[in-house]
Amino acid sequence: DDARETIEDKITKYADFWGVSRKTMSWIVACESGGNERAVGDHGQSRGLVQINRPAHPNITDEQAFDVDFSLSFLAENLAKGNGRLWTCFRDIL
């Protein structure tokens, strides 16, 4: 049942789909938002589970940024494309 799918389940799904590290995704989620899908940081500029930054990504709506599936897919896709440095927490683990 989709309603029972945990954040870790979703990390596994998107990591496997994009061929990226589950561990890296889990670390970024824990580091950026503490696993809080409603988190707001950077003086209101970063939103959601993976803290999507509004100025850097003006095309991403609040609704999208706060959506767990969108956020995790966005993270996994960017990791797969070599864009992990978008996240401070990714840079911290290098």
Side-chain angles (χ1 to χ4, degrees):
D1 182 84
D2 218 35
R4 295 184 199 187
E5 196 175 28
T6 67
I7 288 172
E8 284 301 320
D9 292 336
K10 291 177 185 233
I11 286 172
T12 297
K13 176 171 70 177
Y14 292 110
D16 290 354
F17 180 83
W18 286 100
V20 298
S21 166
R22 297 174 192 171
K23 185 176 178 182
T24 299
M25 285 187 64
S26 293
W27 164 255
I28 291 171
V29 166
C31 178
E32 291 286 346
S33 69
N36 177 1
E37 63 197 66
R38 302 300 302 167
V40 176
D42 298 324
H43 306 286
Q45 295 303 307
S46 295
R47 306 143 298 151
L49 196 60
V50 302
Q51 293 293 281
I52 298 172
N53 185 268
R54 183 178 285 118
H57 305 283
N59 56 319
I60 296 176
T61 66
D62 284 351
E63 183 179 4
Q64 289 171 313
F66 289 120
D67 179 83
V68 172
D69 286 289
F70 180 90
S71 292
L72 292 174
S73 180
F74 178 79
L75 173 60
E77 180 178 3
N78 275 285
L79 289 173
K81 291 178 176 178
N83 296 328
R85 295 184 72 76
L86 290 171
W87 287 273
T88 303
C89 291
F90 180 85
R91 296 190 301 266
D92 289 347
I93 60 174
L94 291 179

